[in-house]
Amino acid sequence: MPVPGRPPVPPRRPAGRLRAALVLPLALLLALAWLPGRAAAADPAVSGGRLDWGVKQSFLTYLTGPVANGKWALTGGTATVGGSVFRFHSAAGSYDPATGALSAAFQGGVRFTGHPENGGNALDLALSRLTVKAGADGSAALYADVSSKSRQTGRTSSAAQARIADLSLAGVSLRNAAGTLTLSNVPATLTSAGADAFGGFYTAGTALDPLTFSVTLKSPAAAPASTPAPSSAAPAPTAAPTTGAPTASVPAATVLDRGAFDWGVRRTFRDYVTGSVAQGGWQLGDGAADGGAFFRWTPARGSWDPAAGTLDAAFTGTVRFTGLREGGADRLDLTLANPHLTATGAEGRLTVDVSGRTPDGTTRTATATEIATFDAGALKTENDLLTATDLPLTLTPAGAGAFGNLYPAGTAMDPLTVNLPLTPTATVPPLPDLGATPTPAPTPSATPLAGTPAAAASASASSGTAVLLTVLALALAAAAGGAAYAVRRRKRS
């Protein structure tokens, strides 16, 4: 009965409340169902990796033989594996797990020259920035920046990202890959553009060497790396400028506490170690890193005094070469450790700790062996770094002995590169990114199999989504039940 003096209370609309109670959980449920599809369609980026390719072994044999009398040269940090396979590095690109579409561009290059005549070379071919592209339809090809000389006209032409080879991915699915994607022994066939690049030496359809590549997939949706907190350690002290004197960007004398020394020892030695004769390899320790075409030792400890022309930079790390296995032991077991660069004026010296066994049967342990010399006058200051790139290095008599006299004194070793920060803000160039170490598989497959880490991650993600869906479904049911209860209660009142 209405209360006298008060306006009548409008009737309740329980159905409206029910709809309102259902809207939010239902919206969340639909949003969650929509998001996984959107996340799967996002393109994880290709960040790091390597591509190994011998181009065509018969071509390399012909190139370096008595007819062509040629050679090849590496550029941009390209390395060799086993003597005749080229390793390109630092992959970058895109990948769509939903379709398997992939684009991965690798850094580095190689230049082939031969048939010297009239002060030039009739054969001159350069390949760089090799790129593997795979489409959602299963097609795949190898592209490259090409500079080549025509055998017919002698003219040199260049092309950016020419499709030089078709790749066969028959029976291989690139969908839903995660972590490190590796494909081994991918067949390659020369295209018409590739035939032009080879100056007409081969026709389209010619089989090239198969290639192997490995790329690291990194989702852009991953949380960005946090900015490192400022170090509590104070930077190395530098000499304060005298009052009234102009401020110098680099102090007269600097204490070295960071830096990198890059050296490949000798390319032919690495090829010998990993080749068919020694059938060995190398292991890195104590902080030494693999840069593909060289090894990197860090940090630098010592000093640089430009006024006196003296350098003292000590690095840590070991590289151990093993091979020539015989009777359960390696006849080659040589360790180079803790390189040390010193200089006085233009006289530069490289000393290392040498230990182990060389193929001539000699076993030695010698610290601070002066194995090579260099021209320290080529060191320069640039971008607040004391630096030198590809500085020639010459083997000493002691160095010849350290290598078991495989090379005579005076042999040109691999050049050295050094970067020593002279200020707290100076940065060392990054190491070439070879990606994660791939796991070789005789039959490549990019699709995660049950029990693999990628499959486990996928299963974990699906499980987590299922849990959230269940929680929201319960919330939806609870909200609906609460609304119905409110309606019944209202009816009873």
Coordinates of all heavy atoms in Angstrom, one line a residue, residues 130-221:
L130 N 72.7 -11.8 -47.8 CA 71.9 -12.9 -48.2 C 70.6 -12.9 -47.4 O 70.6 -12.8 -46.2 CB 72.6 -14.2 -48.1 CG 73.5 -14.6 -49.3 CD1 74.6 -13.6 -49.5 CD2 74.1 -16.0 -49.1
T131 N 69.4 -13.2 -48.1 CA 68.1 -13.1 -47.4 C 67.3 -14.4 -47.8 O 67.2 -14.7 -49.0 CB 67.3 -11.9 -47.8 OG1 68.1 -10.7 -47.5 CG2 66.0 -11.8 -47.1
V132 N 66.9 -15.1 -46.8 CA 66.0 -16.2 -47.0 C 64.5 -15.7 -46.9 O 64.2 -15.2 -45.8 CB 66.3 -17.4 -46.1 CG1 65.2 -18.5 -46.2 CG2 67.7 -17.9 -46.3
K133 N 63.7 -16.0 -47.9 CA 62.3 -15.6 -47.8 C 61.5 -16.8 -48.1 O 61.7 -17.5 -49.1 CB 62.0 -14.5 -48.8 CG 62.6 -13.2 -48.5 CD 62.1 -12.1 -49.5 CE 62.8 -10.7 -49.1 NZ 62.3 -9.7 -50.1
A134 N 60.5 -17.1 -47.2 CA 59.6 -18.2 -47.4 C 58.2 -17.7 -47.3 O 57.9 -16.9 -46.4 CB 59.8 -19.3 -46.3
G135 N 57.3 -18.1 -48.3 CA 56.0 -17.6 -48.3 C 55.0 -18.5 -47.6 O 55.3 -19.7 -47.2
A136 N 53.8 -18.0 -47.4 CA 52.8 -18.8 -46.7 C 52.4 -20.0 -47.6 O 51.8 -21.0 -47.0 CB 51.6 -17.9 -46.4
D137 N 52.6 -19.9 -48.9 CA 52.2 -21.0 -49.8 C 53.3 -22.1 -49.9 O 53.2 -23.1 -50.6 CB 52.0 -20.5 -51.2 CG 53.2 -19.7 -51.8 OD1 54.2 -19.6 -51.1 OD2 53.1 -19.3 -52.9
G138 N 54.4 -22.0 -49.1 CA 55.4 -23.0 -49.1 C 56.6 -22.7 -50.0 O 57.6 -23.4 -50.1
S139 N 56.5 -21.6 -50.9 CA 57.6 -21.3 -51.7 C 58.7 -20.6 -50.9 O 58.5 -20.0 -49.9 CB 57.1 -20.3 -52.8 OG 56.6 -19.1 -52.2
A140 N 59.9 -20.7 -51.4 CA 61.1 -20.1 -50.7 C 62.1 -19.8 -51.8 O 62.3 -20.5 -52.8 CB 61.6 -21.1 -49.7
A141 N 62.9 -18.8 -51.4 CA 64.0 -18.4 -52.3 C 65.1 -17.7 -51.5 O 64.9 -17.2 -50.4 CB 63.5 -17.5 -53.4
L142 N 66.3 -17.6 -52.2 CA 67.4 -16.9 -51.6 C 67.7 -15.7 -52.4 O 67.9 -15.7 -53.6 CB 68.7 -17.8 -51.6 CG 70.0 -17.2 -51.0 CD1 69.8 -16.9 -49.6 CD2 71.1 -18.2 -51.3
Y143 N 67.8 -14.5 -51.7 CA 68.0 -13.2 -52.4 C 69.4 -12.7 -51.9 O 69.9 -13.1 -50.9 CB 66.9 -12.2 -52.0 CG 65.6 -12.6 -52.5 CD1 64.8 -13.6 -51.9 CD2 65.0 -12.0 -53.6 CE1 63.5 -13.9 -52.3 CE2 63.7 -12.3 -54.1 CZ 63.0 -13.3 -53.4 OH 61.7 -13.6 -53.9
A144 N 70.0 -11.8 -52.7 CA 71.3 -11.3 -52.3 C 71.5 -10.0 -53.1 O 71.0 -9.8 -54.2 CB 72.4 -12.2 -52.6
D145 N 72.3 -9.1 -52.5 CA 72.9 -7.9 -53.2 C 74.0 -8.5 -54.1 O 74.9 -9.1 -53.5 CB 73.4 -6.9 -52.3 CG 72.2 -6.2 -51.5 OD1 71.0 -6.4 -51.9 OD2 72.5 -5.5 -50.5
V146 N 74.0 -8.2 -55.4 CA 74.9 -8.8 -56.3 C 75.7 -7.7 -57.1 O 75.1 -6.7 -57.5 CB 74.2 -9.7 -57.3 CG1 75.1 -10.3 -58.3 CG2 73.5 -10.8 -56.5
S147 N 77.0 -7.9 -57.2 CA 77.8 -7.1 -58.2 C 78.6 -8.2 -59.0 O 79.3 -9.0 -58.4 CB 78.7 -6.2 -57.4 OG 79.6 -5.6 -58.3
S148 N 78.4 -8.1 -60.3 CA 79.0 -9.1 -61.1 C 79.5 -8.6 -62.5 O 78.9 -7.6 -63.0 CB 78.1 -10.3 -61.4 OG 76.9 -9.9 -62.1
K149 N 80.5 -9.2 -63.1 CA 81.0 -8.8 -64.4 C 80.6 -9.8 -65.4 O 80.7 -11.0 -65.2 CB 82.5 -8.7 -64.3 CG 83.1 -8.3 -65.6 CD 84.6 -8.1 -65.5 CE 85.0 -6.9 -64.7 NZ 86.5 -6.7 -64.7
S150 N 80.0 -9.3 -66.5 CA 79.6 -10.2 -67.6 C 80.8 -10.8 -68.3 O 81.7 -10.1 -68.7 CB 78.7 -9.4 -68.6 OG 78.4 -10.2 -69.7
R151 N 80.7 -12.1 -68.6 CA 81.8 -12.8 -69.3 C 81.8 -12.3 -70.8 O 82.8 -12.2 -71.4 CB 81.6 -14.3 -69.2 CG 82.8 -15.0 -69.9 CD 82.7 -16.5 -69.6 NE 81.4 -17.1 -70.2 CZ 81.1 -18.4 -70.2 NH1 82.0 -19.2 -69.8 NH2 80.0 -18.8 -70.7
Q152 N 80.6 -12.0 -71.3 CA 80.5 -11.6 -72.7 C 80.9 -10.2 -72.9 O 81.7 -9.9 -73.9 CB 79.0 -11.8 -73.2 CG 78.6 -13.2 -73.4 CD 78.3 -13.9 -72.1 OE1 78.0 -13.3 -71.1 NE2 78.4 -15.3 -72.1
T153 N 80.4 -9.2 -72.1 CA 80.7 -7.8 -72.4 C 81.8 -7.2 -71.5 O 82.3 -6.2 -71.8 CB 79.4 -7.0 -72.1 OG1 79.0 -7.0 -70.7 CG2 78.2 -7.6 -72.9
G154 N 82.1 -7.9 -70.4 CA 83.1 -7.3 -69.5 C 82.6 -6.2 -68.6 O 83.3 -5.6 -67.8
R155 N 81.3 -5.9 -68.7 CA 80.7 -4.8 -67.9 C 80.2 -5.3 -66.5 O 79.7 -6.4 -66.4 CB 79.5 -4.2 -68.6 CG 79.9 -3.5 -70.0 CD 78.6 -3.0 -70.6 NE 78.9 -2.3 -71.9 CZ 78.0 -1.8 -72.7 NH1 76.7 -1.9 -72.4 NH2 78.4 -1.2 -73.8
T156 N 80.4 -4.5 -65.5 CA 80.0 -4.8 -64.2 C 78.6 -4.2 -63.9 O 78.4 -3.0 -64.2 CB 81.0 -4.3 -63.2 OG1 82.2 -4.9 -63.4 CG2 80.5 -4.6 -61.7
S157 N 77.7 -5.0 -63.4 CA 76.4 -4.5 -63.0 C 76.1 -4.9 -61.6 O 76.7 -5.9 -61.0 CB 75.3 -5.1 -64.0 OG 75.3 -6.6 -63.9
S158 N 75.1 -4.2 -61.0 CA 74.8 -4.4 -59.6 C 73.2 -4.5 -59.5 O 72.5 -3.9 -60.3 CB 75.3 -3.3 -58.7 OG 76.7 -3.2 -58.8
A159 N 72.8 -5.3 -58.5 CA 71.4 -5.5 -58.3 C 71.2 -5.7 -56.8 O 71.9 -6.5 -56.2 CB 70.8 -6.7 -59.1
A160 N 70.2 -5.0 -56.3 CA 69.8 -5.2 -54.8 C 68.8 -6.3 -54.7 O 67.8 -6.3 -55.4 CB 69.3 -3.9 -54.3
Q161 N 69.1 -7.2 -53.8 CA 68.2 -8.3 -53.4 C 67.6 -9.0 -54.7 O 66.4 -9.2 -54.9 CB 67.0 -7.8 -52.6 CG 67.5 -7.3 -51.2 CD 68.1 -8.5 -50.4 OE1 67.4 -9.3 -49.9 NE2 69.4 -8.5 -50.3
A162 N 68.6 -9.5 -55.5 CA 68.2 -10.3 -56.7 C 67.9 -11.7 -56.2 O 68.5 -12.2 -55.3 CB 69.3 -10.3 -57.7
R163 N 66.9 -12.3 -56.8 CA 66.5 -13.7 -56.5 C 67.5 -14.6 -57.2 O 67.3 -14.9 -58.3 CB 65.1 -14.0 -56.9 CG 64.6 -15.3 -56.5 CD 63.1 -15.4 -56.7 NE 62.6 -16.8 -56.4 CZ 61.3 -17.0 -56.1 NH1 60.4 -16.1 -56.0 NH2 60.9 -18.3 -55.8
I164 N 68.5 -15.1 -56.4 CA 69.6 -15.8 -57.1 C 69.3 -17.4 -57.0 O 69.9 -18.1 -57.8 CB 70.9 -15.5 -56.5 CG1 71.0 -15.9 -55.0 CG2 71.3 -14.0 -56.7 CD1 72.4 -15.7 -54.4
A165 N 68.5 -17.8 -56.1 CA 68.3 -19.3 -56.0 C 66.9 -19.6 -55.5 O 66.4 -18.8 -54.6 CB 69.3 -19.9 -55.1
D166 N 66.3 -20.6 -56.0 CA 65.0 -21.1 -55.5 C 65.4 -22.2 -54.4 O 66.3 -23.0 -54.7 CB 64.1 -21.7 -56.6 CG 63.5 -20.7 -57.5 OD1 63.3 -19.5 -57.0 OD2 63.4 -20.9 -58.7
L167 N 64.6 -22.2 -53.3 CA 64.9 -23.2 -52.3 C 63.7 -24.1 -52.2 O 62.5 -23.7 -52.4 CB 65.0 -22.4 -50.9 CG 66.1 -21.4 -50.9 CD1 66.1 -20.7 -49.5 CD2 67.5 -21.9 -51.2
S168 N 64.0 -25.4 -51.9 CA 62.9 -26.4 -51.7 C 62.7 -26.7 -50.2 O 63.6 -27.1 -49.5 CB 63.4 -27.7 -52.4 OG 62.4 -28.7 -52.2
L169 N 61.5 -26.4 -49.8 CA 61.0 -26.7 -48.4 C 60.0 -27.8 -48.4 O 59.1 -27.8 -47.6 CB 60.5 -25.5 -47.7 CG 61.5 -24.3 -47.6 CD1 60.8 -23.2 -46.8 CD2 62.7 -24.8 -46.8
A170 N 60.1 -28.7 -49.4 CA 59.1 -29.8 -49.5 C 59.0 -30.6 -48.2 O 60.0 -31.1 -47.7 CB 59.5 -30.7 -50.7
G171 N 57.8 -30.8 -47.7 CA 57.6 -31.6 -46.5 C 57.9 -30.8 -45.2 O 57.9 -31.5 -44.1
V172 N 58.3 -29.6 -45.3 CA 58.7 -28.8 -44.1 C 57.6 -27.7 -43.8 O 57.3 -26.9 -44.7 CB 60.0 -28.2 -44.2 CG1 60.4 -27.3 -43.0 CG2 61.1 -29.3 -44.4
S173 N 57.1 -27.7 -42.6 CA 56.2 -26.6 -42.2 C 56.9 -25.6 -41.3 O 57.6 -26.0 -40.4 CB 55.0 -27.2 -41.5 OG 54.2 -26.2 -40.9
L174 N 56.8 -24.3 -41.7 CA 57.4 -23.3 -40.8 C 56.4 -22.7 -39.9 O 56.7 -21.7 -39.2 CB 57.9 -22.2 -41.7 CG 59.1 -22.6 -42.7 CD1 59.6 -21.4 -43.5 CD2 60.2 -23.3 -42.0
R175 N 55.2 -23.2 -39.8 CA 54.2 -22.6 -38.9 C 54.5 -22.9 -37.4 O 55.0 -24.0 -37.1 CB 52.8 -23.1 -39.3 CG 52.4 -22.7 -40.7 CD 51.0 -23.2 -41.0 NE 50.5 -22.8 -42.3 CZ 49.4 -23.2 -42.8 NH1 48.5 -23.9 -42.1 NH2 49.1 -22.8 -44.1
N176 N 54.1 -21.9 -36.6 CA 54.1 -22.1 -35.2 C 55.4 -22.4 -34.6 O 55.5 -23.1 -33.6 CB 53.1 -23.2 -34.7 CG 51.7 -22.8 -35.2 OD1 51.2 -21.7 -35.1 ND2 50.9 -23.8 -35.6
A177 N 56.5 -22.0 -35.2 CA 57.8 -22.2 -34.6 C 58.1 -21.2 -33.5 O 57.5 -20.1 -33.5 CB 58.9 -22.0 -35.7
A178 N 59.0 -21.5 -32.6 CA 59.3 -20.6 -31.5 C 60.8 -20.9 -31.1 O 61.3 -21.9 -31.4 CB 58.4 -20.9 -30.3
G179 N 61.4 -19.9 -30.5 CA 62.7 -20.0 -30.1 C 63.7 -20.0 -31.2 O 63.8 -19.0 -31.9
T180 N 64.4 -21.0 -31.5 CA 65.4 -21.1 -32.6 C 64.8 -22.0 -33.7 O 64.5 -23.2 -33.4 CB 66.7 -21.7 -32.1 OG1 67.3 -20.9 -31.1 CG2 67.7 -21.8 -33.2
L181 N 64.7 -21.4 -34.9 CA 64.3 -22.2 -36.0 C 65.5 -22.5 -36.9 O 66.2 -21.7 -37.3 CB 63.3 -21.3 -36.8 CG 62.9 -21.7 -38.2 CD1 62.1 -23.0 -38.1 CD2 62.1 -20.7 -38.9
T182 N 65.6 -23.8 -37.1 CA 66.8 -24.3 -37.9 C 66.3 -25.2 -39.0 O 65.5 -26.1 -38.8 CB 67.7 -25.1 -37.0 OG1 68.2 -24.3 -35.9 CG2 69.0 -25.6 -37.7
L183 N 66.9 -25.0 -40.2 CA 66.7 -25.8 -41.3 C 68.0 -26.2 -41.9 O 68.9 -25.4 -42.2 CB 65.8 -25.1 -42.4 CG 64.3 -24.8 -42.1 CD1 63.6 -24.2 -43.2 CD2 63.6 -26.1 -41.7
S184 N 68.2 -27.5 -42.1 CA 69.5 -28.0 -42.6 C 69.4 -28.6 -44.0 O 68.4 -29.2 -44.3 CB 70.0 -29.1 -41.6 OG 70.1 -28.6 -40.3
N185 N 70.5 -28.4 -44.7 CA 70.6 -29.0 -46.1 C 69.4 -28.7 -47.0 O 68.8 -29.6 -47.6 CB 70.8 -30.5 -45.9 CG 72.1 -30.9 -45.2 OD1 73.1 -30.3 -45.4 ND2 72.0 -31.8 -44.3
V186 N 69.1 -27.4 -47.1 CA 67.9 -27.0 -47.9 C 68.4 -27.0 -49.4 O 69.4 -26.2 -49.7 CB 67.4 -25.6 -47.5 CG1 66.3 -25.2 -48.4 CG2 67.0 -25.7 -46.0
P187 N 67.8 -27.7 -50.3 CA 68.2 -27.7 -51.7 C 68.1 -26.3 -52.3 O 67.1 -25.6 -52.0 CB 67.3 -28.8 -52.3 CG 66.9 -29.6 -51.2 CD 66.8 -28.7 -50.0
A188 N 69.0 -26.0 -53.1 CA 69.0 -24.7 -53.8 C 69.3 -24.8 -55.3 O 70.2 -25.6 -55.7 CB 70.1 -23.7 -53.2
T189 N 68.5 -24.1 -56.1 CA 68.6 -24.2 -57.6 C 68.8 -22.8 -58.1 O 68.1 -21.9 -57.8 CB 67.4 -24.8 -58.2 OG1 67.1 -26.1 -57.6 CG2 67.5 -25.0 -59.7
L190 N 69.8 -22.6 -59.0 CA 70.1 -21.3 -59.6 C 68.9 -20.8 -60.5 O 68.3 -21.6 -61.2 CB 71.3 -21.5 -60.5 CG 72.0 -20.2 -61.0 CD1 72.7 -19.5 -59.8 CD2 73.1 -20.5 -62.0
T191 N 68.6 -19.6 -60.3 CA 67.6 -18.9 -61.1 C 68.2 -18.2 -62.3 O 69.4 -18.2 -62.4 CB 66.8 -17.8 -60.2 OG1 67.8 -16.8 -59.8 CG2 66.2 -18.5 -59.0
S192 N 67.4 -17.6 -63.1 CA 67.9 -16.8 -64.3 C 68.7 -15.6 -63.8 O 69.8 -15.3 -64.3 CB 66.8 -16.4 -65.2 OG 65.8 -15.6 -64.5
A193 N 68.2 -15.0 -62.7 CA 69.0 -13.8 -62.2 C 70.3 -14.3 -61.6 O 71.3 -13.6 -61.6 CB 68.1 -13.1 -61.1
G194 N 70.3 -15.5 -60.9 CA 71.5 -16.1 -60.4 C 72.5 -16.4 -61.5 O 73.7 -16.3 -61.4
A195 N 72.0 -16.9 -62.6 CA 72.8 -17.3 -63.8 C 73.5 -16.0 -64.3 O 74.7 -16.0 -64.6 CB 72.0 -17.9 -64.9
D196 N 72.8 -14.9 -64.3 CA 73.4 -13.6 -64.8 C 74.4 -13.2 -63.8 O 75.5 -12.7 -64.2 CB 72.3 -12.5 -64.9 CG 71.3 -12.8 -66.0 OD1 71.6 -13.6 -66.9 OD2 70.2 -12.2 -66.0
A197 N 74.2 -13.4 -62.5 CA 75.2 -13.0 -61.5 C 76.5 -13.8 -61.6 O 77.5 -13.3 -61.4 CB 74.6 -13.3 -60.1
F198 N 76.4 -15.1 -62.1 CA 77.6 -15.9 -62.3 C 78.2 -15.6 -63.6 O 79.1 -16.4 -64.1 CB 77.2 -17.4 -62.1 CG 77.3 -17.8 -60.7 CD1 76.1 -17.8 -59.9 CD2 78.4 -18.3 -60.1 CE1 76.1 -18.2 -58.6 CE2 78.4 -18.7 -58.8 CZ 77.3 -18.7 -58.0
G199 N 77.8 -14.5 -64.3 CA 78.4 -14.1 -65.5 C 78.2 -15.1 -66.7 O 79.0 -15.2 -67.6
G200 N 77.1 -16.0 -66.6 CA 76.9 -16.9 -67.6 C 77.7 -18.2 -67.5 O 77.6 -19.1 -68.4
F201 N 78.4 -18.4 -66.4 CA 79.2 -19.6 -66.2 C 78.3 -20.8 -66.0 O 78.6 -22.0 -66.3 CB 80.2 -19.5 -65.0 CG 81.4 -18.7 -65.4 CD1 81.5 -17.3 -65.2 CD2 82.5 -19.3 -65.9 CE1 82.6 -16.6 -65.6 CE2 83.7 -18.6 -66.2 CZ 83.7 -17.3 -66.0
Y202 N 77.1 -20.6 -65.4 CA 76.1 -21.6 -65.2 C 74.8 -21.2 -65.7 O 74.5 -20.0 -65.7 CB 76.0 -21.9 -63.7 CG 77.3 -22.4 -63.0 CD1 78.1 -21.6 -62.3 CD2 77.7 -23.7 -63.2 CE1 79.3 -22.0 -61.7 CE2 78.9 -24.2 -62.7 CZ 79.7 -23.3 -61.9 OH 80.9 -23.7 -61.4
T203 N 73.9 -22.1 -66.1 CA 72.6 -21.8 -66.6 C 71.6 -22.0 -65.5 O 71.8 -22.6 -64.5 CB 72.2 -22.8 -67.7 OG1 72.3 -24.1 -67.2 CG2 73.2 -22.6 -68.9
A204 N 70.4 -21.3 -65.7 CA 69.3 -21.4 -64.7 C 68.9 -22.9 -64.6 O 68.9 -23.6 -65.6 CB 68.1 -20.6 -65.2
G205 N 68.6 -23.3 -63.4 CA 68.3 -24.7 -63.1 C 69.4 -25.5 -62.6 O 69.2 -26.7 -62.1
T206 N 70.6 -25.0 -62.6 CA 71.8 -25.7 -62.1 C 71.7 -25.8 -60.5 O 71.3 -24.9 -59.8 CB 73.1 -24.9 -62.4 OG1 73.2 -24.8 -63.8 CG2 74.3 -25.6 -61.8
A207 N 72.0 -27.0 -60.1 CA 71.9 -27.3 -58.6 C 73.1 -26.6 -57.9 O 74.3 -26.8 -58.3 CB 71.9 -28.8 -58.3
L208 N 72.8 -25.8 -56.9 CA 73.9 -25.2 -56.1 C 74.0 -26.0 -54.8 O 73.3 -27.0 -54.6 CB 73.5 -23.8 -55.7 CG 73.2 -22.8 -56.9 CD1 72.7 -21.5 -56.4 CD2 74.5 -22.6 -57.7
D209 N 75.0 -25.7 -54.0 CA 75.2 -26.4 -52.7 C 73.9 -26.1 -51.8 O 73.4 -25.0 -51.8 CB 76.4 -25.9 -52.0 CG 77.7 -26.5 -52.5 OD1 77.6 -27.2 -53.6 OD2 78.7 -26.3 -51.9
P210 N 73.5 -27.1 -51.1 CA 72.4 -26.8 -50.1 C 72.9 -25.9 -49.0 O 74.1 -25.8 -48.8 CB 72.1 -28.2 -49.6 CG 73.3 -29.0 -49.8 CD 74.0 -28.5 -51.0
L211 N 71.9 -25.2 -48.4 CA 72.3 -24.3 -47.4 C 71.6 -24.7 -46.1 O 70.6 -25.4 -46.0 CB 72.0 -22.8 -47.8 CG 70.5 -22.5 -48.1 CD1 69.7 -22.2 -46.8 CD2 70.4 -21.3 -49.0
T212 N 72.2 -24.2 -45.0 CA 71.7 -24.5 -43.6 C 71.6 -23.1 -42.9 O 72.5 -22.3 -43.0 CB 72.6 -25.4 -42.8 OG1 72.6 -26.7 -43.4 CG2 72.2 -25.5 -41.4
F213 N 70.5 -22.8 -42.3 CA 70.3 -21.6 -41.6 C 69.6 -21.8 -40.3 O 68.8 -22.7 -40.1 CB 69.7 -20.5 -42.5 CG 68.2 -20.7 -42.7 CD1 67.2 -20.2 -41.9 CD2 67.8 -21.4 -43.8 CE1 65.9 -20.4 -42.1 CE2 66.4 -21.6 -44.1 CZ 65.5 -21.1 -43.2
S214 N 69.9 -20.9 -39.4 CA 69.3 -20.9 -38.0 C 69.0 -19.5 -37.6 O 69.8 -18.6 -37.8 CB 70.2 -21.6 -37.0 OG 69.7 -21.5 -35.7
V215 N 67.7 -19.2 -37.2 CA 67.4 -17.9 -36.8 C 66.7 -18.0 -35.4 O 66.0 -18.9 -35.1 CB 66.4 -17.2 -37.8 CG1 67.1 -17.0 -39.1 CG2 65.1 -18.0 -38.0
T216 N 66.9 -16.9 -34.7 CA 66.3 -16.8 -33.3 C 65.0 -15.9 -33.5 O 65.1 -14.8 -34.0 CB 67.3 -16.2 -32.3 OG1 68.4 -17.0 -32.2 CG2 66.6 -16.1 -31.0
L217 N 63.9 -16.4 -33.0 CA 62.6 -15.7 -33.1 C 62.3 -15.0 -31.8 O 62.4 -15.7 -30.7 CB 61.5 -16.7 -33.5 CG 61.7 -17.5 -34.7 CD1 60.6 -18.5 -34.9 CD2 61.9 -16.7 -35.9
K218 N 62.0 -13.8 -31.9 CA 61.8 -13.0 -30.7 C 60.5 -12.2 -30.9 O 60.4 -11.4 -31.8 CB 63.0 -12.1 -30.4 CG 62.8 -11.2 -29.1 CD 64.0 -10.3 -28.9 CE 63.8 -9.5 -27.6 NZ 65.0 -8.6 -27.4
S219 N 59.5 -12.4 -30.0 CA 58.3 -11.8 -30.2 C 58.4 -10.3 -29.8 O 58.9 -10.0 -28.7 CB 57.2 -12.4 -29.3 OG 56.0 -11.7 -29.4
P220 N 57.9 -9.4 -30.6 CA 57.9 -8.0 -30.2 C 57.0 -7.6 -29.1 O 57.1 -6.6 -28.5 CB 57.4 -7.2 -31.5 CG 56.6 -8.3 -32.2 CD 57.3 -9.6 -31.9
A221 N 56.1 -8.6 -28.7 CA 55.2 -8.4 -27.6 C 55.8 -8.6 -26.3 O 55.3 -8.3 -25.2 CB 53.9 -9.3 -27.7

